Amino acid sequence: MSDTFNDYPATGGVAPDRWASALHLFDDGAGVPHEETTAERWERARLLFEAKDYIGAAKLLAAVVEEVPEQTAPRLLLARAYYHSAQLRRAEEQLRQIIDRDPVEHYAHVMLGRTLQRQGRHEDAAPWLRMAAAFAGELPADD
């Protein structure tokens, strides 16, 4: 057995960056660099996010969002990556763009409310969380 066996984290699989690299070792032939597509960057970013490498995922997702700004899923995952890496202003910016484009995107309302709460802006968060609750069918208790 190798001395470096324990150098790899036990994550239940191959590390996302190694897996993404290995996927394309032989795509274009020896010595020909592979040009990663937007879909491949999106997939690699999802793997990084799942592995809790939120900063790495955010870097890739920012490029994906720039290439396909009309897509909600990459922008929402970018906001989540920013949130989990404590880049709260950036998360807020992405979430507001999602809500501007799709005012009934339930999870964006939840995330925006939580992001504002995490910044200590509880009064700003309240309407977003009420809206998310309404979308979920949660009715306020009668007092």
Side-chain angles (χ1 to χ4, degrees):
M1 190 151 311
S2 170
D3 291 340
T4 61
F5 179 76
N6 291 322
D7 290 348
Y8 299 99
T11 59
V14 178
D17 57 336
R18 291 175 161 275
W19 177 250
S21 298
L23 284 175
H24 304 294
L25 280 176
F26 305 105
D27 281 0
D28 299 327
V32 178
H34 175 73
E35 182 75 29
E36 192 173 42
T37 66
T38 303
E40 290 167 335
R41 273 190 292 286
W42 163 240
E43 182 60 30
R44 189 159 57 99
R46 288 179 42 203
L47 290 170
L48 289 169
F49 185 88
E50 289 173 14
K52 297 184 180 1
D53 180 357
Y54 302 119
I55 293 173
K59 288 177 185 176
L60 277 175
L61 287 163
V64 171
V65 165
E66 189 174 308
E67 292 175 38
V68 287
E70 71 283 355
Q71 295 290 323
T72 299
R75 190 176 297 275
L76 189 55
L77 192 59
L78 175 59
R80 291 177 63 203
Y82 283 151
Y83 178 86
H84 288 297
S85 61
Q87 299 179 63
L88 301 176
R89 292 285 182 181
R90 288 180 174 179
E92 179 183 348
E93 177 185 312
Q94 294 303 318
L95 292 163
R96 288 186 186 278
Q97 287 184 35
I98 292 168
I99 293 169
D100 284 347
R101 285 196 184 120
D102 187 358
V104 295
E105 174 55 56
H106 169 259
Y107 193 64
H109 285 80
V110 172
M111 282 293 304
L112 181 55
R114 298 285 183 242
T115 300
L116 293 169
Q117 281 181 330
R118 195 167 166 197
Q119 294 177 58
R121 296 166 55 194
H122 298 281
E123 286 183 26
D124 293 340
W128 298 105
L129 294 173
R130 278 194 305 272
M131 183 70 75
F135 286 143
E138 299 170 11
L139 300 175
D142 290 331
D143 293 314

